[in-house]
Structure formats: structure tokens, C-alpha cells
Amino acid sequence: EAQVTQNPRYLITVTGKKLTVTCSQNMNHEYMSWYRQDPGLGLRQIYYSMNVEVTDKGDVPEGYKVSRKEKRNFPLILESPSPNQTSLYFCASSLTGTSNEQFFGPGTRLTVL
Amino acid sequence: KQEVTQIPAALSVPEGENLVLNCSFTDSAIYNLQWFRQDPGKGLTSLLLIQSSQREQTSGRLNASLDKSSGRSTLYIAASQPGDSATYLCAVLNSGGYQKVTFGIGTKLQVIP
């Protein structure tokens, strides 16, 4: 089944403890992206990647890192999480960046205490 | 910076009614516009994708239009059903040398049986 998977789905952590949220797609998509969704602010793009080893900042990249070493995986890294990073995170992918629909993962709900 | 606005923020209609959701964007330099639905606590489901060169797309009871020059898109839902109750989001893929995505905050639709 074609899908975007994220792990973990739920995570409660403490300030400063490094964490990684994984994202994987099995559709051979070139474009992958991370978003956060907050009440009243909607979805905002954190980082995106147009292909392997090519990443770029979205609108809210501060406090996050990403890497794209393989086409299928696009992990989101929070080196030193803070409470303002408590949010619902979504990973998405599309065949190419310019002409294809995005498919979303199920989301990861992160709470930073 | 691209801004995407969706009006109304919430809408309640009786079952069977036809309805229109609106999405406007400030920068016409886009590759495409995509409509999604999001059910409470769930991820995003793609509904329709309109390329910047297209005027409309149809899928079943859904019809989306795009007027790039005026920065507007509409999502028309015919013969609404209670199962259509969800939050509807529009997103634009920006061009201009990068491939950032900007979302609207969404329209929360309730279809009353």
C-alpha cells in the first residue's frame, strides 16, 4: 500500500532532550516536507527536500534540523526541544515538487514539558 | 511573503445543500493549488489538485476552480452529506525559485442531517 509513515505517533518529552521523528514513504517520491499544525495558525512548513541531499527552509525552521540521505526517509530532528515546539507534526511527500499532489502521513503529536 | 486566506472560517448547512468554500492568495507565482480535507484528530486527505495553467478540476461531487490572476480558488460541493463534515484546507505551492507550500487556516464545515 502506498503510504507515508511517521513514528512515533505520540511523544511526551522534556525540555532539552534531543529527539527524532521519522518519516518514510514507499512511493519513490522526490519531494518531502515537514509541517507543524497549531490552533489558529494552521499548517506551517518547517523544511522541505526536493531530492536526496537537497533540503531547504520553510517558514518556521528555527529549532529544527532535517536530513535526506535516502530518497524514502526524511527525519525531523529537534536538538533541544522547548515547550513552544509542542505541536502536531505532519510529514508529506509528492512525486515531484511542482506538479503532483502531496500525500500526508498520519501525524505525530509532540508534547514538550 | 505568500498569504492564504480561507473564508468563511466555519460553515453550517443542511444536508443536500450545494456550497462554496473560498480560498484566496496574495502572490500569483504558484505552481499549483491543492484542496484537502481533515477530519478531527486525523491527517490530511487530498481532494483536488489544480495546476497553475488549469482553470478547474472535478472529482465526483467536488469541483475546484482557480483564477490565478485574481488569486482565488473555490471548492464547490454539490448535494452535501453529513459525511462531508470536516475542515477543508487549501494550499499553494509557491514558485519563484523555491518550492515552499503555504496553507490557509481552513474552513470548518458541518452538514446537518
Side-chain angles (χ1 to χ4, degrees), chain A residues 9 31 35 37 40-43 45 48 50 56-59 88 90 96-102 104-106, chain B residues 1 31-32 34 36 38 41-47 49 51 89 91 93 97-105:
Chain A
R9 294 289 313 281
Y31 185 94
Y35 300 88
Q37 186 174 34
L41 297 175
L43 277 123
Q45 192 174 37
Y48 63 95
M50 290 187 279
D56 213 339
K57 296 177 181 178
D59 288 327
L88 180 58
F90 288 102
T96 67
T98 58
S99 59
N100 302 97
E101 62 184 317
Q102 286 194 82
F104 276 71
Chain B
K1 181 184 173 183
Y31 285 115
N32 59 51
Q34 192 169 358
F36 298 87
Q38 185 176 27
K42 305 280 188 180
L44 278 72
T45 302
S46 176
L47 297 174
L49 173 74
Q51 303 296 344
L89 300 162
L93 177 63
Y98 55 95
Q99 295 182 9
K100 287 185 181 179
V101 175
T102 306
F103 273 84
I105 291 179

Side-chain angles (χ1 to χ4, degrees), chain B residues 21-80:
Chain B
L21 307 180
N22 296 292
C23 172
S24 62
F25 48 95
T26 56
D27 187 347
S28 62
I30 65 170
Y31 285 115
N32 59 51
L33 183 146
Q34 192 169 358
W35 283 94
F36 298 87
R37 68 173 280 167
Q38 185 176 27
D39 295 284
K42 305 280 188 180
L44 278 72
T45 302
S46 176
L47 297 174
L48 289 164
L49 173 74
I50 311 177
Q51 303 296 344
S52 63
S53 59
Q54 296 176 320
R55 297 287 291 187
E56 67 178 80
Q57 283 285 339
T58 298
S59 176
R61 294 183 294 108
L62 305 179
N63 176 278
S65 68
L66 175 64
D67 184 342
K68 198 175 82 160
S69 61
S70 69
R72 294 181 184 179
S73 177
T74 61
L75 179 67
Y76 174 84
I77 303 177
S80 58

